[in-house]
Amino acid sequence: MESSIQIGKKKYLISRLRLREWLKLEDNRIRIKEATESKDIDGFAEGVYSYISVAIGVSSEELDELYWYEVINIFETIQAENFPKYEFPLLESKTKAKTVRWDYPERTWYIWANNLADTYGWNLEYIAELDIDDAIGLLQEILVNDQLEKEWEWGLSEIAYSYNSSTKKSEFRELPRPDWMKAPPEEIKPIRMPKFLMPLGKIVGRDGKEEILQ
Amino acid sequence: MNLKRSLKLYKMLEPHLPEDLELEPFDFISIIVHNIKESKRHNDYIDILEFVSGMPRSELLSMEFIDLFEMFAEGMTDLQIIYLAKFCRKMGLSDA
């Protein structure tokens, strides 16, 4: 569903972006998140302006002239329009991408394009115009296949097994998975404990409250 | 007020904002003033008024309390301060 907004006399259509432009939006979302974490309010505002500029082409200078409420309204409308349809685990990765020597602006697009082109043989123009849900789903499948293949090869190699001198046996060490592929930790269930095993005497809780157990 | 200035204003107001953002605007603003008074950081009140009104500090200091309060309340209402606080907290810009 598309929505429209008016800035001055000009009307702008807010629509769901295609992959290449959406990745620029994502880069800006990360920039906003980093500014939020460091409580950098100017960086946050710049990130919001840049986010809107990518989506509808309004310059930061024009946005700086607008009332804050309008800017936030536009920002939230663009965000709502461009949320992926599903909660892809790939996007929930908590590991911060490490900066490397060979980084450059908009590298995210080339990483995605490289993976999709390599697997499906599509050209850049086709990949750039992919629907974001399709692109995220496909990239996740590529990365899962890649990881499972590596795990298989790892299992066949000697380095996957280390000798435990106390048990005098070789033990298999799993190849670490990216955090978005790991199963969430199981919730610890409360265990009933017999009364005679309960501690006796004065118990001081973490909150400093004292309780006498008899 | 543009986004950059409104975020600066939020940072000035933040230590004095009520926890509850669902209050009526007048109650919300009254609690801010009460919190500033309680914190004994009276300069914050004048700093905020100076920032919002653009009036010189000396002029603000010569005004009656009730006029200052009226100006403060009007400024905060016009700036939709509750919505600003909700947005900033939602985005994680809050120090708390």
Side-chain angles (χ1 to χ4, degrees):
Chain A
M1 209 183 83
E2 287 175 341
S3 34
S4 66
I5 49 128
Q6 188 138 356
I7 300 174
K9 286 177 183 169
K10 220 171 161 190
K11 206 172 178 183
Y12 294 88
L13 205 63
I14 298 178
S15 54
R16 199 169 173 78
L17 297 179
R18 294 287 163 169
L19 182 63
R20 186 166 190 172
E21 292 304 300
W22 182 81
L23 286 172
K24 284 185 197 166
L25 214 58
E26 271 297 284
D27 284 344
N28 274 295
R29 190 184 61 79
I30 292 164
R31 187 178 157 191
I32 294 170
K33 200 175 152 210
E34 283 170 357
T36 305
E37 282 163 4
S38 57
K39 309 286 176 210
D40 169 13
I41 50 172
D42 282 332
F44 177 88
E46 290 293 346
V48 170
Y49 290 168
S50 180
Y51 186 94
I52 296 172
S53 294
V54 167
I56 56 171
V58 182
S59 70
S60 295
E61 290 74 27
E62 278 178 87
L63 293 166
D64 207 36
E65 295 292 314
L66 295 180
Y67 184 59
W68 74 268
Y69 184 88
E70 284 180 80
V71 176
I72 292 314
N73 194 23
I74 299 168
F75 172 68
E76 291 189 326
T77 310
I78 296 169
Q79 258 196 327
E81 199 70 50
N82 287 284
F83 268 134
K85 228 186 290 171
Y86 311 108
E87 286 179 10
F88 291 101
L90 176 65
L91 300 181
E92 286 163 21
S93 177
K94 288 182 182 74
T95 318
K96 222 176 174 182
K98 282 180 193 160
T99 44
V100 284
R101 178 70 189 84
W102 50 90
D103 257 339
Y104 48 85
E106 285 188 48
R107 181 166 170 245
T108 320
W109 153 246
Y110 290 101
I111 295 171
W112 283 58
N114 180 42
N115 275 297
L116 292 165
D118 189 36
T119 311
Y120 302 108
W122 295 330
N123 63 30
L124 285 181
E125 291 73 24
Y126 184 81
I127 296 169
E129 287 301 309
L130 278 176
D131 171 80
I132 56 172
D133 293 297
D134 288 343
I136 302 165
L138 291 173
L139 183 75
Q140 185 171 302
E141 291 314 317
I142 293 169
L143 296 177
V144 168
N145 282 346
D146 193 36
Q147 173 70 22
L148 296 180
E149 208 169 298
K150 276 185 196 157
E151 284 179 14
W152 167 249
E153 284 167 14
W154 171 261
L156 298 176
S157 75
E158 274 180 31
I159 51 166
Y161 299 88
S162 60
Y163 182 71
N164 185 333
S165 55
S166 55
T167 58
K168 294 188 175 135
K169 278 179 186 169
S170 284
E171 283 172 4
F172 177 66
R173 287 184 300 123
E174 283 182 8
L175 181 71
R177 285 184 168 181
D179 64 353
W180 59 269
M181 275 184 78
K182 287 177 191 160
E186 272 181 45
E187 209 173 296
I188 301 167
K189 288 177 188 158
I191 303 165
R192 287 185 71 84
M193 194 184 277
K195 202 176 174 185
F196 71 91
L197 287 176
M198 297 286 276
L200 292 177
K202 192 163 91 174
I203 310 290
V204 182
R206 280 186 183 169
D207 54 0
K209 279 184 188 163
E210 290 183 8
E211 199 180 345
I212 307 287
L213 292 178
Q214 290 168 342
Chain B
M1 190 180 283
N2 68 12
L3 181 63
K4 284 182 184 170
R5 278 180 61 80
S6 66
L7 292 175
K8 281 195 183 92
L9 174 66
Y10 173 75
K11 281 287 153 193
M12 293 166 92
L13 283 166
E14 197 186 2
H16 311 294
L17 289 175
E19 271 299 304
D20 185 2
L21 299 181
E22 300 302 328
L23 295 167
E24 287 297 314
F26 186 78
D27 295 335
F28 189 83
I29 293 161
S30 301
I31 293 176
I32 296 175
V33 178
H34 172 79
N35 289 348
I36 294 175
K37 202 175 147 195
E38 285 294 299
S39 70
K40 295 191 171 63
R41 287 161 64 176
H42 300 101
N43 265 339
D44 286 5
Y45 191 54
I46 302 296
D47 287 345
I48 293 162
L49 277 166
E50 201 180 358
F51 188 79
V52 174
S53 69
M55 282 169 68
R57 200 175 186 85
S58 55
E59 203 176 319
L60 290 167
L61 288 169
S62 67
M63 285 170 73
E64 292 289 325
F65 175 79
I66 192 71
D67 295 331
L68 287 176
F69 179 74
E70 203 176 301
M71 189 193 281
F72 187 87
E74 260 180 33
M76 295 299 116
T77 313
D78 289 348
L79 286 164
Q80 306 195 54
I81 206 64
I82 301 181
Y83 181 70
L84 178 66
K86 278 183 184 171
F87 173 75
C88 289
R89 282 195 192 163
K90 186 175 81 180
M91 295 303 293
L93 281 170
S94 173
D95 280 335

